[in-house]
Amino acid sequence: MTESVVVSQKSKIAVIGAGLMGHGIAQVFALAGHDVTITDSHKTTLEGAKARISTNLRDLGDDPGAVDRVRPVADLGDCVRNADYVVEAILEDMPLKQRTFAEIERHVRPDTILASNTSVMPITEIMKGLQRRERALGTHWWNPPFLVPLVEVIGTQWTSPGVVAFTMKLHADAGKTPAHVKKDVPGFIGNRLQHALWREAVSLVERGICDAETVDDVIKAAFGRRLAVLGPLENADLVGTDLTLAIHQTVLPDIDHRPGPSPYLEKLVADGKLGFKSGEGFRKWSPEQQAALRARVVRHLKKAREADK
Ligand SMILES: NC(=O)c1ccc[n+]([C@@H]2O[C@H](COP(=O)([O-])OP(=O)(O)OC[C@H]3O[C@@H](n4cnc5c(N)ncnc54)[C@H](O)[C@@H]3O)[C@@H](O)[C@H]2O)c1
């Protein structure tokens, strides 16, 4: 299917929401040569979008001229009117997203593709009120959009295969790594895997097996080192499915499989230990430690992007 899909090298792309994710998504599409319109209900955010993109492009050593292909537009209808493809990155609020897509659909062509960048909300729920549900899907980017390659492409029961194929190719051509999520399940693929790991990480601390710092150290110094080049199922094949089965028979019964969040996590939140926001979560964080951790992550992601080139 994908091979037969034609994606114009210069599509008209509209991005709704110019916040953390929206401005970065606009940047990626503009860098790939598309004409991008962008809107935001917050005037100052919209006005600052091009400057933010320019700073990112300079910082990453990407073509600074790409910002000229981004056009901020105050009115939502004007932003989407001629678009081939619309991606929404507004607040994570279901009624707001539903209202926004209803409004978008009033202004676009019948064949314009509509995507939501929701982190966790069911795409089915967001898109259920549309006139043409076959053109709608989810595209879950990861932060920062211009440094993390993955974009999960989530179809609903209504999404046409051609729309999925177009969207996969659009993102692949823009240098992203699209992954097709065939069923609209909570957390899609990436966040299900990530939070399966986090659940056990919390449980290890809760059960007194180690402290929070040790959990993170173990991951970073062991399989975290390999994860970027060796996925778990590749790894299972590498060591053998028979060995994997034997390990699962011993370990899985003891791994946390409670259906809800850990009481330990609930207590942290109840005690106001909210992480960076309050200076303490699983661990204590000074402003300097917070800044150092953020800088370390960005440095690492930039190096990985360079290595990909
Ligand atoms: N931050 C992340 O790491 C991340 C990762 C993946 C997906 N997401 C998802 O992406 C979406 C955006 O997240 P974000 O982190 O960029 O949030 P953000 O708060 O930085 O940006 C949202 C923007 O939407 C604007 N907005 C609100 N209502 C609007 C409307 N009706 N029309 C136009 N603009 C409107 C706001 O003014 C704001 O600038 C959310 O659905 C979020 O869950 C976020």
Side-chain angles (χ1 to χ4, degrees), residues 26-27 30-34 50 53 57 62-70:
Q27 176 184 324
L31 194 60
H34 301 295
K50 285 190 76 156
I53 292 171
L57 290 169
D62 288 336
D63 173 18
V67 73
D68 297 338
R69 289 189 284 276
V70 179

Side-chain angles (χ1 to χ4, degrees), residues 16-23 25 39-42 45 52 76 88-93 96-97 100 116-121 139-143:
I16 317 304
L20 186 67
M21 297 303 290
H23 90 279
I25 293 170
T39 193
D40 198 289
S41 54
H42 191 252
T45 303
R52 233 172 147 182
L76 176 74
E88 165 274 316
I90 63 172
L91 302 180
E92 192 77 342
D93 173 323
L96 179 67
K97 286 194 193 285
T100 303
S116 173
N117 181 51
T118 176
S119 306
V120 291
M121 287 179 171
T139 52
H140 179 220
W141 294 63
W142 291 65
N143 183 45

